[in-house]
């Protein structure tokens, strides 16, 4: 059974490589400083995902599984861990933007919302303003249900 854990500073190098290889944004990682969770196998980071907090909501971002390990449940484990961390920090709603994984997130209980329904300060983030195209699907999940 794979277990996720908080990322260390050294994990940021392989995380960045995984994100770049999957076409996900990395240019704002240093400025936005999202908090990452990772899954390691034999010492290698094989899955990652992050939370970027805005008040009582958070942007769920940078969810990625190394291509050779996709469709084996790791994505689901990372999302569940990020939801657990969010609840532990009194975050009540998670919001994400995705171009390719709407079906995956629907299975995890996320529902499509209008981009304009996200908190205003989140809409000012680089992910919303420039890194994710306006064609990206915006989805949300309440953690209080
Ligand atoms: C999206 C991603 C993280 C999913 O990770 P994964 O480890 O392959 O997903 P899981 O194996 O945990 O899948 C969980 C469920 O979603 C389904 N699923 C996974 N990817 C899917 C896809 N692209 N389309 C439809 N269903 C999908 C699985 O079949 C599984 O369903 P089940 O529970 O009925 O068996 C992975 O494909 C990835 O890294 N994609 C590239 C990066 C990306 O687009 N990230 C999202 C941007 S935030």
């Amino acid at each position: 059974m794979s277990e996720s854990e908080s990322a260390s500073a050294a994990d940021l190098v392989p995380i960045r490589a995984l994100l770049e290889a999957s076409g996900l944004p990395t240019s704002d990682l240093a400025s936005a400083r999202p908090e990452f969770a990772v899954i390691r196998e034999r010492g290698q980071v094989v899955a990652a995902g992050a939370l970027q907090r805005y008040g009582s909501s958070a942007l769920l971002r940078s969810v990625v599984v190394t291509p050779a390990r996709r469709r084996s449940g790791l994505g689901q484990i990372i999302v569940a861990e990020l939801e657990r961390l969010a609840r532990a920090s009194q975050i009540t709603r998670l919001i994400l933007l995705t171009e390719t994984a709407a079906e995956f997130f629907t299975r995890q209980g996320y529902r499509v919302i209008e981009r304009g329904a996200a908190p205003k300060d989140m809409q000012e983030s680089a992910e919303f303003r420039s890194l994710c195209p306006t064609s990206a699907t915006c989805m949300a999940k309440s953690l209080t249900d």
Side-chain angles (χ1 to χ4, degrees), residues 61-83:
R61 62 170 290 179
S62 304
V63 176
V64 67
V65 174
T66 197
R69 294 288 285 120
R70 285 183 191 165
R71 300 283 183 141
S72 55
L74 297 184
Q76 207 165 354
I77 292 171
I78 277 287
V79 171
E81 172 66 3
L82 292 168
E83 291 175 357

mmCIF file of all heavy atoms in Angstrom, residues 61-83:
data_model
loop_
_atom_site.group_PDB
_atom_site.id
_atom_site.type_symbol
_atom_site.label_atom_id
_atom_site.label_comp_id
_atom_site.label_asym_id
_atom_site.label_seq_id
_atom_site.Cartn_x
_atom_site.Cartn_y
_atom_site.Cartn_z
ATOM 1 N N ARG A 61 -3.809 21.806 -6.609
ATOM 2 C CA ARG A 61 -3.076 21.981 -7.865
ATOM 3 C C ARG A 61 -1.943 20.963 -8.003
ATOM 4 O O ARG A 61 -1.608 20.268 -7.038
ATOM 5 C CB ARG A 61 -2.495 23.394 -7.937
ATOM 6 C CG ARG A 61 -1.501 23.674 -6.830
ATOM 7 C CD ARG A 61 -0.766 24.961 -7.057
ATOM 8 N NE ARG A 61 0.158 24.870 -8.181
ATOM 9 C CZ ARG A 61 0.917 25.855 -8.624
ATOM 10 N NH1 ARG A 61 0.832 27.049 -8.046
ATOM 11 N NH2 ARG A 61 1.740 25.682 -9.631
ATOM 12 N N SER A 62 -1.379 20.931 -9.174
ATOM 13 C CA SER A 62 -0.146 20.171 -9.417
ATOM 14 C C SER A 62 -0.284 18.704 -9.035
ATOM 15 O O SER A 62 0.657 18.098 -8.538
ATOM 16 C CB SER A 62 1.021 20.825 -8.649
ATOM 17 O OG SER A 62 1.162 22.180 -9.007
ATOM 18 N N VAL A 63 -1.485 18.139 -9.266
ATOM 19 C CA VAL A 63 -1.687 16.705 -8.991
ATOM 20 C C VAL A 63 -1.112 15.931 -10.172
ATOM 21 O O VAL A 63 -1.531 16.125 -11.321
ATOM 22 C CB VAL A 63 -3.181 16.385 -8.796
ATOM 23 C CG1 VAL A 63 -3.379 14.882 -8.619
ATOM 24 C CG2 VAL A 63 -3.729 17.149 -7.595
ATOM 25 N N VAL A 64 -0.136 15.090 -9.896
ATOM 26 C CA VAL A 64 0.545 14.384 -10.978
ATOM 27 C C VAL A 64 1.032 13.018 -10.504
ATOM 28 O O VAL A 64 1.455 12.859 -9.359
ATOM 29 C CB VAL A 64 1.720 15.253 -11.519
ATOM 30 C CG1 VAL A 64 2.832 15.411 -10.498
ATOM 31 C CG2 VAL A 64 2.259 14.702 -12.827
ATOM 32 N N VAL A 65 0.925 12.050 -11.419
ATOM 33 C CA VAL A 65 1.442 10.697 -11.165
ATOM 34 C C VAL A 65 2.397 10.379 -12.319
ATOM 35 O O VAL A 65 2.087 10.684 -13.484
ATOM 36 C CB VAL A 65 0.285 9.670 -11.106
ATOM 37 C CG1 VAL A 65 0.813 8.245 -10.993
ATOM 38 C CG2 VAL A 65 -0.638 9.992 -9.933
ATOM 39 N N THR A 66 3.532 9.781 -11.998
ATOM 40 C CA THR A 66 4.492 9.446 -13.051
ATOM 41 C C THR A 66 3.815 8.503 -14.064
ATOM 42 O O THR A 66 3.056 7.596 -13.666
ATOM 43 C CB THR A 66 5.776 8.841 -12.429
ATOM 44 O OG1 THR A 66 6.810 8.884 -13.389
ATOM 45 C CG2 THR A 66 5.591 7.428 -11.935
ATOM 46 N N PRO A 67 4.014 8.744 -15.377
ATOM 47 C CA PRO A 67 3.230 8.022 -16.393
ATOM 48 C C PRO A 67 3.182 6.500 -16.203
ATOM 49 O O PRO A 67 2.113 5.895 -16.336
ATOM 50 C CB PRO A 67 3.930 8.415 -17.701
ATOM 51 C CG PRO A 67 4.448 9.789 -17.425
ATOM 52 C CD PRO A 67 4.877 9.778 -15.979
ATOM 53 N N ALA A 68 4.291 5.889 -15.850
ATOM 54 C CA ALA A 68 4.326 4.423 -15.731
ATOM 55 C C ALA A 68 3.474 3.895 -14.580
ATOM 56 O O ALA A 68 3.153 2.695 -14.556
ATOM 57 C CB ALA A 68 5.769 3.959 -15.539
ATOM 58 N N ARG A 69 3.087 4.768 -13.660
ATOM 59 C CA ARG A 69 2.316 4.316 -12.486
ATOM 60 C C ARG A 69 0.872 4.821 -12.489
ATOM 61 O O ARG A 69 0.175 4.702 -11.483
ATOM 62 C CB ARG A 69 3.032 4.752 -11.203
ATOM 63 C CG ARG A 69 4.374 4.092 -10.988
ATOM 64 C CD ARG A 69 4.249 2.596 -10.607
ATOM 65 N NE ARG A 69 3.822 2.450 -9.228
ATOM 66 C CZ ARG A 69 2.700 1.819 -8.846
ATOM 67 N NH1 ARG A 69 1.886 1.290 -9.737
ATOM 68 N NH2 ARG A 69 2.408 1.735 -7.571
ATOM 69 N N ARG A 70 0.437 5.389 -13.621
ATOM 70 C CA ARG A 70 -0.948 5.890 -13.676
ATOM 71 C C ARG A 70 -1.943 4.730 -13.679
ATOM 72 O O ARG A 70 -1.604 3.617 -14.016
ATOM 73 C CB ARG A 70 -1.135 6.767 -14.927
ATOM 74 C CG ARG A 70 -0.462 8.107 -14.705
ATOM 75 C CD ARG A 70 -0.633 9.078 -15.849
ATOM 76 N NE ARG A 70 0.278 10.211 -15.605
ATOM 77 C CZ ARG A 70 0.622 11.117 -16.481
ATOM 78 N NH1 ARG A 70 0.103 11.081 -17.691
ATOM 79 N NH2 ARG A 70 1.466 12.081 -16.147
ATOM 80 N N ARG A 71 -3.165 5.052 -13.323
ATOM 81 C CA ARG A 71 -4.274 4.082 -13.296
ATOM 82 C C ARG A 71 -4.030 2.953 -12.310
ATOM 83 O O ARG A 71 -4.455 1.825 -12.537
ATOM 84 C CB ARG A 71 -4.537 3.518 -14.700
ATOM 85 C CG ARG A 71 -4.915 4.580 -15.715
ATOM 86 C CD ARG A 71 -6.356 4.995 -15.529
ATOM 87 N NE ARG A 71 -6.769 5.971 -16.525
ATOM 88 C CZ ARG A 71 -7.968 5.968 -17.103
ATOM 89 N NH1 ARG A 71 -8.856 5.057 -16.807
ATOM 90 N NH2 ARG A 71 -8.292 6.906 -17.945
ATOM 91 N N SER A 72 -3.281 3.240 -11.244
ATOM 92 C CA SER A 72 -3.120 2.206 -10.209
ATOM 93 C C SER A 72 -3.500 2.754 -8.832
ATOM 94 O O SER A 72 -3.106 2.181 -7.819
ATOM 95 C CB SER A 72 -1.700 1.645 -10.222
ATOM 96 O OG SER A 72 -0.766 2.683 -10.084
ATOM 97 N N GLY A 73 -4.243 3.867 -8.815
ATOM 98 C CA GLY A 73 -4.792 4.357 -7.560
ATOM 99 C C GLY A 73 -3.967 5.426 -6.864
ATOM 100 O O GLY A 73 -4.403 5.972 -5.839
ATOM 101 N N LEU A 74 -2.776 5.757 -7.386
ATOM 102 C CA LEU A 74 -1.927 6.737 -6.686
ATOM 103 C C LEU A 74 -2.537 8.141 -6.716
ATOM 104 O O LEU A 74 -2.453 8.882 -5.727
ATOM 105 C CB LEU A 74 -0.517 6.761 -7.288
ATOM 106 C CG LEU A 74 0.293 5.468 -7.184
ATOM 107 C CD1 LEU A 74 1.697 5.679 -7.725
ATOM 108 C CD2 LEU A 74 0.352 4.955 -5.759
ATOM 109 N N GLY A 75 -3.156 8.495 -7.838
ATOM 110 C CA GLY A 75 -3.778 9.814 -7.935
ATOM 111 C C GLY A 75 -4.857 9.979 -6.871
ATOM 112 O O GLY A 75 -4.941 11.010 -6.193
ATOM 113 N N GLN A 76 -5.645 8.919 -6.705
ATOM 114 C CA GLN A 76 -6.706 8.938 -5.700
ATOM 115 C C GLN A 76 -6.110 9.085 -4.287
ATOM 116 O O GLN A 76 -6.654 9.818 -3.460
ATOM 117 C CB GLN A 76 -7.459 7.620 -5.801
ATOM 118 C CG GLN A 76 -8.868 7.691 -5.357
ATOM 119 C CD GLN A 76 -9.637 6.455 -5.835
ATOM 120 O OE1 GLN A 76 -9.128 5.616 -6.574
ATOM 121 N NE2 GLN A 76 -10.868 6.360 -5.396
ATOM 122 N N ILE A 77 -5.004 8.407 -4.022
ATOM 123 C CA ILE A 77 -4.373 8.483 -2.693
ATOM 124 C C ILE A 77 -3.866 9.903 -2.418
ATOM 125 O O ILE A 77 -4.060 10.459 -1.328
ATOM 126 C CB ILE A 77 -3.203 7.467 -2.578
ATOM 127 C CG1 ILE A 77 -3.750 6.043 -2.591
ATOM 128 C CG2 ILE A 77 -2.384 7.710 -1.299
ATOM 129 C CD1 ILE A 77 -2.680 4.960 -2.700
ATOM 130 N N ILE A 78 -3.251 10.517 -3.421
ATOM 131 C CA ILE A 78 -2.728 11.885 -3.241
ATOM 132 C C ILE A 78 -3.870 12.865 -2.976
ATOM 133 O O ILE A 78 -3.807 13.700 -2.077
ATOM 134 C CB ILE A 78 -1.899 12.328 -4.486
ATOM 135 C CG1 ILE A 78 -0.468 11.808 -4.386
ATOM 136 C CG2 ILE A 78 -1.890 13.833 -4.666
ATOM 137 C CD1 ILE A 78 0.422 12.514 -3.367
ATOM 138 N N VAL A 79 -4.953 12.759 -3.754
ATOM 139 C CA VAL A 79 -6.088 13.678 -3.558
ATOM 140 C C VAL A 79 -6.691 13.472 -2.162
ATOM 141 O O VAL A 79 -6.988 14.439 -1.452
ATOM 142 C CB VAL A 79 -7.143 13.505 -4.679
ATOM 143 C CG1 VAL A 79 -8.415 14.278 -4.358
ATOM 144 C CG2 VAL A 79 -6.569 13.969 -6.019
ATOM 145 N N ALA A 80 -6.846 12.220 -1.740
ATOM 146 C CA ALA A 80 -7.406 11.947 -0.408
ATOM 147 C C ALA A 80 -6.508 12.531 0.688
ATOM 148 O O ALA A 80 -6.997 13.084 1.680
ATOM 149 C CB ALA A 80 -7.580 10.438 -0.210
ATOM 150 N N GLU A 81 -5.199 12.429 0.513
ATOM 151 C CA GLU A 81 -4.275 12.982 1.503
ATOM 152 C C GLU A 81 -4.367 14.515 1.533
ATOM 153 O O GLU A 81 -4.365 15.119 2.610
ATOM 154 C CB GLU A 81 -2.837 12.541 1.176
ATOM 155 C CG GLU A 81 -1.758 13.200 2.010
ATOM 156 C CD GLU A 81 -1.797 12.826 3.492
ATOM 157 O OE1 GLU A 81 -2.639 12.001 3.896
ATOM 158 O OE2 GLU A 81 -0.962 13.378 4.248
ATOM 159 N N LEU A 82 -4.465 15.144 0.367
ATOM 160 C CA LEU A 82 -4.582 16.607 0.335
ATOM 161 C C LEU A 82 -5.893 17.038 0.991
ATOM 162 O O LEU A 82 -5.941 18.050 1.701
ATOM 163 C CB LEU A 82 -4.470 17.123 -1.102
ATOM 164 C CG LEU A 82 -3.075 16.949 -1.718
ATOM 165 C CD1 LEU A 82 -3.120 17.209 -3.223
ATOM 166 C CD2 LEU A 82 -2.045 17.865 -1.057
ATOM 167 N N GLU A 83 -6.962 16.275 0.789
ATOM 168 C CA GLU A 83 -8.241 16.598 1.439
ATOM 169 C C GLU A 83 -8.112 16.452 2.958
ATOM 170 O O GLU A 83 -8.636 17.259 3.720
ATOM 171 C CB GLU A 83 -9.357 15.697 0.895
ATOM 172 C CG GLU A 83 -9.682 16.023 -0.561
ATOM 173 C CD GLU A 83 -10.707 15.069 -1.162
ATOM 174 O OE1 GLU A 83 -11.140 14.118 -0.477
ATOM 175 O OE2 GLU A 83 -11.060 15.281 -2.342
#
